[in-house]
Amino acid sequence: FPVLSCVNSKMIKNYLTSTRGHLVLGLKKKNLSEIEPERISHLINVLDGDFKYVFIILPDENNPQSLEIIKQSKSLIVPFSPDIMSLKKTENLFDFYCSLDILRSDIIPVSFEFGYDFNAKSILEGAEFFKNIIEIDFSAKTQKQIFDSRLSSIDFPAPFKAAVSEILKRIKNAKTPLSVNEIAQEQYFYNENTYRELSEKVYSLLIEEMKEFSAENDSEILKRKTSSKIESILKKLDLHLPQKVSQRLFKELCDDVAGLGVLEDLINDKSVTEIMVNGPNIIYVEKAGKITKSAAVFPDEKKLGTAIDRIVSQTGRHIDEASPIVDARLKDGSRVNAVIRPIALNGAALTIRKFLKNIHSADKLIEIGSLSAAMLEFLKTCVLLKRNIIISGGTGTGKTTLLNTISSFIPEYERLITIEDSAELQLKQEHVIRLEGRPKSAEGSGEISIRRLVVNSLRMRPDRIIVGECRSGEALDMLQAMNTGHEGSMSTIHANSEKDAVSRLTTMVMMSGADLPERAIVNQIISAVNTIVQLTRYFDGSRRISSISVLKQRDDEKIYEIMPVFKFNLSGVENGKQTGEFKACGFVPEFIKTASDRGVNINLEIFK
């Protein structure tokens, strides 16, 4: 049987009925020595429950599997021929079993031929083991009759039937050995190899059963259908699993068929902020800003590919060898990037930036040390005064989180348009239009770029435009919008410093194809961007605003100057944590000095 864990008495009975009972059960493409003893025990338990007599033919060599079977046997039939070599080998075998202290069954010596020579008789008479021998006529003629499929057992030779009857009589009267079936079914299925074999068998049957629900996209409905099908399959296989094993099987198969497999637990873990899959066997997670390796693994690359396909198909996108890179999102808003072969040389790679359902409030950011109260008051004033803000930082520094937080200061009456590659922003205002870009279809058409959305948003009468992230030529359109009446707009950018942010914006404007000299581009940036907030992730995983600066235009060759307003001054390391202090730099921007003229009050003491 290819899958021992799924064998049950019903299957065996059907098998024997179909073959008129003339064939023996065998192990498909395996030797007994290749099968774990626990699986042999399971097979014996299955057979022992429904069959009066179970005969197992053991190989000549002794191995753990053979010994396990002997431990559970009620009787041990030892066949031999009446020559001195066979008798001596049989006697040694008996001594070997006795030396291991495993023999708890009755011994039934059986000779398949008649006529012992003198030396053979001396062994027979001298060994206790050879008393009460059963002799069977197993000549060539008898064998031919026994193995003739046209004959039934009633046609067997009378002497042979008498010998078999004697064997069965002794087996019936044999004492029950100790520890027969002491290995519980539970322990059998707790064996990891057995469990995996069972899981793969049920999974293959489940896939066929679930084809009728291939068009269903609701994961909860799919999980209910999957659970029902698993229950039906186990019933057909006549398998009664221990509760813990059953719970594990149901959960894993439901996750595989209706969810994202081993990623389900990581996605539901609130402490995990990012999941990085570097192939089926390597998964890293980010918790509290620190990256660690997860114990979770996919069984194989095929299961990982299935999870990626499920994510991609739910968003109407596709991924294949012709288009091996895709950006998508989960239903909860988590951002997903997937790369497969041939681009990913070591196998499919998947990155999930989890969607934070409870965005940190402004007070919470102060509490966890991401910024100071003075910084927050300054940023709130910038928003109310409709200053254009760029949030800069590296990957995973918290740019989107901060953008969500400061956007809460925008007045309710303003019309906001958000533009993103994958929707992550969670603005609390009611008057919000959310736009999301779209990649090319499988036919190479239908792309909606961020730049096109920015241009289109200008026709939608926005008070503010919020671009989730500037990456390319849309930077030019964003700057032009900031310079033409759409004040108070915001965006994020990947850069490691304020100066790098200006340089990156300059490069992205050039990527738009605009034939402008660099000085003209920089002038436009300085005119459009008022405040740059720089975020940094430190070695201990903490994320903080490392500086808040304003851009000041100059008339000399320097063109512009970055004026720091607040900074996080590093002081050292304590108990493995980065320490430091938020400090005002003593510079008060001009727009702050005139804030009261526009009805916004701010405490100037925070700049000292």
Side-chain angles (χ1 to χ4, degrees), residues 171-233:
I171 291 174
K172 183 178 179 180
N173 295 329
K175 62 181 182 293
T176 301
L178 298 175
S179 36
V180 168
N181 295 338
E182 282 184 349
I183 301 175
Q185 283 290 88
E186 291 191 7
Q187 295 305 315
Y188 171 73
F189 283 109
Y190 282 129
N191 176 276
E192 190 61 26
N193 290 333
T194 303
Y195 175 80
R196 282 293 157 210
E197 185 181 75
L198 169 67
S199 178
E200 288 170 11
K201 175 66 176 178
V202 177
Y203 179 80
S204 63
L205 297 172
L206 184 60
I207 292 299
E208 290 298 317
E209 295 278 346
M210 291 298 294
K211 283 183 177 179
E212 61 182 294
F213 305 108
S214 58
E216 180 60 64
N217 290 322
D218 190 311
S219 60
E220 291 305 316
I221 293 177
L222 274 176
K223 285 184 178 181
R224 287 198 297 271
K225 297 292 184 183
T226 302
S227 181
S228 175
K229 292 295 183 181
I230 295 171
E231 192 173 348
S232 174
I233 289 170

Side-chain angles (χ1 to χ4, degrees), residues 363-381:
D363 291 337
K364 182 66 175 178
L365 290 179
I366 295 174
E367 181 186 328
I368 64 178
S370 292
L371 76 169
S372 66
M375 285 177 164
L376 183 63
E377 187 174 352
F378 174 72
L379 290 175
K380 181 177 181 179
T381 303

Side-chain angles (χ1 to χ4, degrees), residues 69-166:
I69 292 172
I70 292 171
K71 280 182 185 180
Q72 298 189 62
S73 299
K74 190 175 182 181
S75 296
L76 184 62
I77 301 172
V78 183
F80 60 91
S81 56
D83 59 88
I84 188 67
M85 292 298 293
S86 178
L87 286 169
K88 195 64 181 173
K89 183 178 178 181
T90 304
E91 185 180 26
N92 291 338
L93 184 66
F94 174 71
D95 291 339
F96 170 71
Y97 289 149
C98 290
S99 68
L100 295 177
D101 193 29
I102 65 166
L103 200 60
R104 297 186 178 92
S105 51
D106 281 358
I107 309 284
I108 304 176
V110 177
S111 173
F112 282 119
E113 293 181 39
F114 302 101
Y116 305 96
D117 60 26
F118 176 77
N119 291 326
K121 284 184 178 180
S122 64
I123 294 177
L124 290 171
E125 293 169 359
E128 185 73 19
F129 168 64
F130 289 111
K131 288 184 178 179
N132 302 316
I133 296 174
I134 295 177
E135 296 179 333
I136 296 181
D137 174 16
F138 206 64
S139 61
K141 180 181 177 182
T142 303
Q143 291 180 46
K144 185 176 180 181
Q145 287 180 294
I146 293 170
F147 294 114
D148 189 342
S149 61
R150 295 171 297 176
L151 303 178
S152 67
S153 58
I154 61 174
D155 300 315
F156 291 169
F160 180 83
K161 286 194 288 187
V164 171
S165 295
E166 179 63 23

Side-chain angles (χ1 to χ4, degrees), residues 461-514:
R461 202 256 174 232
D463 287 309
R464 302 184 195 232
I465 300 171
I466 301 176
V467 178
E469 183 180 344
C470 276
R471 297 180 181 178
S472 187
E474 66 270 6
L476 173 61
D477 304 289
M478 179 70 183
L479 293 174
Q480 289 177 340
M482 289 177 172
N483 275 321
T484 56
H486 301 91
E487 296 173 321
S489 296
M490 308 174 191
S491 185
T492 70
I493 187 173
H494 278 269
N496 294 322
S497 69
E498 304 92 325
K499 187 176 180 180
D500 287 344
V502 175
S503 297
R504 184 156 166 74
L505 278 170
T506 304
T507 302
M508 289 190 292
V509 171
M510 291 178 175
M511 292 169 64
S512 70

